[in-house]
Amino acid sequence: MKFLRKPRSQPAAFLPLCWLFLRILQPGHSHLYNNRYAGDKVIRLIPKTEEETYALKKIHHQFKVDLWQPSSISYVTEGTVTDVHISQNASRALLAFLQEANIQYKILVEDLQKVLENGNSLPTQRNRRSLSEYNYEVYHSLEEIQSWMHHLNKTHSGLIHMFSIGRSYEGRPLFILKLGRKSRADKRAVWMDCGIHAREWIGPAFCQWFVREALLTYRSDAAMRKMLKHLYFYIMPVFNVDGYHYSWTHDRFWRKTRSRNLRFHCRGVDANRNWKVKWCDEGASMHPCDDTYCGPFPESEPEVKAVANFLRKHRKHIRAYLSFHAYAQMLLYPYSYKYATIPNFNCVESAAYKAVKALRSVYGVRYRYGPASRTLYVSSGSSMDWAYKNGIPYAFAFELRDTGHFGFLLPEMLIRPTCTETMLAVKNITMHLLKKCP
C-alpha cells in the first residue's frame, strides 16, 4: 500500500482541480459555494474595556456576525481575542462603527471568496487514480473518507476492523475504525474522534493521518508497536457526518449538526454541547439559531447518542478519550463546565505537559494546556467532560493549528506539519496511560 505523495506534472494536477469544481458546485454555478462569500471579511478585535466589550456584543446582534473565535458571544470579555466573519453587505457599516467607537481591529481576511478559490482550504491537488495512492496532504470529502475506510478494512484486516455504530440525522452511517493487533477481548482502548464541528477540517485530516502513521510504522517504531499490541484505538474520522458533508457542498463555515427544529427555521445542534453533563448550563445556548445551541434535550442528536451508547458499553476498557478540534493551539482536559480540579490531576497534567513539550520539539509550535474552563472558557455539555464523568480517566480535547491567521481555512500545505507534531503529542499521551498512573 503506497501512502507517499507522488510528484506530478502541472497538467496532471490541473485535471483533479477541474473535477473538484464540477463536483462541489451546482449546475450553472461559476464559483465555489455559489460565490456566497464574495467580499466577506474576517476581522480580529480585542476589547480593552467593559465599554468595548458591550459594544462588541451589540455588534454581534446588530450585524449578525459569524463568530469564529470564541464560539459564543457570551465568552467575549476584556482581552478576549475575537475573530468575526462578516458579510460584504455589513462589513462597511461594521468598520465605520468600529472606527467611530475607536475600537482597534485587524482585517485577517480581506475577501473570503478569493481565499477559498485560491485553494487555501479546498483541495488543489488530488490523486484520483486509486485509493492505494491516497493523498493524506489534502482535505477529503465525506465520501472519499468513507471509501478510504472501506479500502483499509479490506487491505489491512489484520490491524483494522471497520464497523458502524448507527446513523446520522440524515441517515448516513457512523463508521468507526478499530485499530490494533487482535488479542484478548478485554484489551484496553483509546477513543479518538474528529470533526465534531463541521468546519474544522484539519480534525478529520489528522484522524486519517494517525491511521496512516500507525500502518506505516508499527513494524519499525517500537512505541507504535507497543501501542498497537497493548491497546485498541477506536477512531471516528468524521463525527458530524451531515454537517461535514454540508460544509463541502453548501456552507464552508457550518458548525452544527443538520437536525431540524419544529419551531424554528434554524437547523442543527452543537454536538459538543449536547452531552448529559451540566447540559445547557453556562457556555451553551438554548436558542436553536445559535452556534452553541445545546439541543432540545441531552443526546437529542443521533450522532451524539450513538457515540455515548458505544462509550457506555465499552467504558470498562476505554482508558482515554481524545477529541480533535480547531483552532487555538491548546491541549485541554476537564473540567469544562466548572472551575475545579479533577481527582487524578497530577497524572493528567503530567501527560499534557509531556505531550505539549513533544509537540513543540518538531517545529517549535507552542500549545497552551490546562483545564478547559480556565485555559479556554466555561462550557457545559461537552463530550470531554462527559467521557471523564463516565469513568474514562484520560480525557483530552485538542485545539489544533493555528491561532487565527488562517483559522478554519488552514492551508493544505500545513496538514503535514500539523499532523506530524500532533502525532508526537498523541503518542506521548498514549504511552503515559500504559503506565501505572490511574
Side-chain angles (χ1 to χ4, degrees):
M1 182 170 183
K2 300 176 184 177
F3 288 91
L4 299 179
R5 185 176 186 171
K6 290 189 175 183
R8 295 179 298 149
S9 64
Q10 191 170 353
F14 179 73
L15 289 174
L17 183 59
C18 293
W19 172 88
L20 168 71
F21 278 17
L22 289 171
R23 175 135 180 248
I24 204 167
L25 300 179
Q26 300 296 323
H29 293 172
S30 58
H31 294 279
L32 293 170
Y33 298 101
N34 197 23
N35 208 33
R36 67 179 293 167
Y37 305 109
D40 287 14
K41 301 184 188 306
V42 179
I43 301 171
R44 169 163 291 180
L45 311 107
I46 306 177
K48 296 180 179 179
T49 64
E50 286 186 16
E51 289 76 15
E52 290 188 2
T53 301
Y54 175 78
L56 289 188
K57 292 183 177 181
K58 183 179 178 182
I59 287 171
H60 177 260
H61 297 292
Q62 182 178 345
F63 295 102
K64 296 181 179 179
V65 300
D66 173 24
L67 273 170
W68 280 21
Q69 197 70 263
S71 57
S72 170
I73 194 65
S74 63
Y75 299 140
V76 176
T77 58
E78 293 174 51
T80 302
V81 175
T82 307
D83 297 343
V84 300
H85 163 209
I86 185 78
S87 69
Q88 180 184 28
N89 293 337
S91 61
R92 186 173 299 177
L94 172 61
L95 295 178
F97 177 93
L98 295 174
Q99 290 166 3
E100 185 177 344
N102 200 27
I103 298 175
Q104 293 184 358
Y105 65 89
K106 178 182 179 182
I107 298 177
L108 298 179
V109 179
E110 190 71 47
D111 188 326
L112 206 50
Q113 187 70 31
K114 288 182 179 178
V115 173
L116 285 169
E117 295 190 0
N118 285 338
N120 257 0
S121 72
L122 290 174
T124 54
Q125 293 189 16
R126 289 180 169 273
N127 192 331
R128 302 298 304 166
R129 285 175 287 186
S130 72
L131 276 170
S132 64
E133 297 170 331
Y134 197 81
N135 191 344
Y136 292 84
E137 295 184 46
V138 300
Y139 295 115
H140 289 278
S141 69
L142 178 67
E143 293 81 4
E144 290 169 341
I145 293 172
Q146 292 185 341
S147 294
W148 166 83
M149 295 173 78
H150 281 289
H151 177 74
L152 293 186
N153 190 50
K154 291 179 181 178
T155 57
H156 290 75
S157 57
L159 283 174
I160 284 181
H161 170 61
M162 176 185 172
F163 60 95
S164 172
I165 59 170
R167 289 193 173 270
S168 69
Y169 179 83
E170 293 181 340
R172 294 182 174 87
L174 303 172
F175 286 130
I176 309 293
L177 289 179
K178 182 181 181 181
L179 171 67
R181 294 185 64 180
K182 295 176 183 178
S183 60
R184 64 185 193 276
D186 62 343
K187 193 163 77 166
R188 287 177 292 176
V190 174
W191 170 275
M192 295 171 55
D193 65 54
C194 297
I196 201 168
H197 293 138
R199 60 192 177 185
E200 299 167 9
W201 286 10
I202 188 59
F206 174 72
C207 267
Q208 292 184 281
W209 189 277
F210 180 86
V211 175
R212 166 193 185 269
E213 285 296 298
L215 296 177
L216 271 179
T217 67
Y218 82 99
R219 293 186 186 277
S220 58
D221 178 51
M224 183 61 73
R225 189 161 58 250
K226 184 176 181 180
M227 286 161 54
L228 296 188
K229 179 181 178 182
H230 295 285
L231 295 166
Y232 283 125
F233 289 84
Y234 293 108
I235 301 166
M236 191 176 196
V238 186
F239 185 115
N240 180 7
V241 289
D242 295 346
Y244 185 74
H245 176 75
Y246 192 76
S247 74
W248 273 74
T249 57
H250 291 83
D251 183 351
R252 174 63 184 84
F253 306 107
W254 186 260
R255 169 183 168 96
K256 301 187 287 182
T257 63
R258 293 293 299 162
S259 57
R260 290 186 180 274
N261 187 290
L262 297 177
R263 294 180 56 202
F264 294 84
H265 70 279
C266 302
R267 294 186 66 164
V269 167
D270 185 340
N272 204 33
R273 299 292 186 277
N274 192 232
W275 299 72
K276 196 173 182 178
V277 53
K278 288 291 180 180
W279 174 78
C280 223
D281 208 322
E282 186 175 353
S285 172
M286 298 182 70
H287 198 288
C289 294
D290 289 344
D291 267 350
T292 54
Y293 175 46
C294 59
F297 53 87
E299 297 180 22
S300 63
E301 305 310 282
E303 302 87 349
V304 173
K305 189 166 191 63
V307 173
N309 284 340
F310 181 85
L311 293 175
R312 274 190 285 260
K313 183 178 178 181
H314 295 87
R315 61 182 161 192
K316 288 184 179 180
H317 307 304
I318 295 176
R319 306 303 294 160
Y321 173 90
L322 307 178
S323 189
F324 296 87
H325 302 251
Y327 58 95
Q329 292 178 194
M330 294 179 181
L331 178 53
L332 309 171
Y333 53 82
Y335 296 105
S336 293
Y337 71 89
K338 64 178 179 179
Y339 299 109
T341 302
I342 54 177
N344 63 337
F345 170 80
N346 289 337
C347 282
V348 172
E349 171 80 1
S350 174
Y353 167 75
K354 291 176 181 177
V356 167
K357 185 179 179 182
L359 187 151
R360 185 181 170 190
S361 71
V362 189
Y363 301 104
V365 173
R366 295 176 180 270
Y367 268 52
R368 293 171 59 198
Y369 68 96
S373 56
R374 291 190 172 91
T375 311
L376 188 57
Y377 42 64
V378 173
S379 62
S380 59
S382 74
S383 64
M384 179 182 70
D385 280 352
W386 184 92
Y388 186 79
K389 295 285 281 187
N390 279 268
I392 300 176
Y394 287 88
F396 292 97
F398 282 81
E399 292 284 350
L400 301 177
R401 291 197 197 186
D402 59 3
T403 55
H405 182 74
F406 295 111
F408 300 122
L409 298 179
L410 194 72
E412 290 181 327
M413 66 181 180
L414 294 180
I415 292 176
R416 172 178 282 273
T418 301
C419 293
T420 300
E421 66 195 11
T422 308
M423 273 297 302
L424 282 187
V426 172
K427 286 173 73 174
N428 260 267
I429 291 172
T430 304
M431 295 301 288
H432 194 88
L433 71 91
L434 284 173
K435 299 174 183 177
K436 291 184 179 180
C437 215

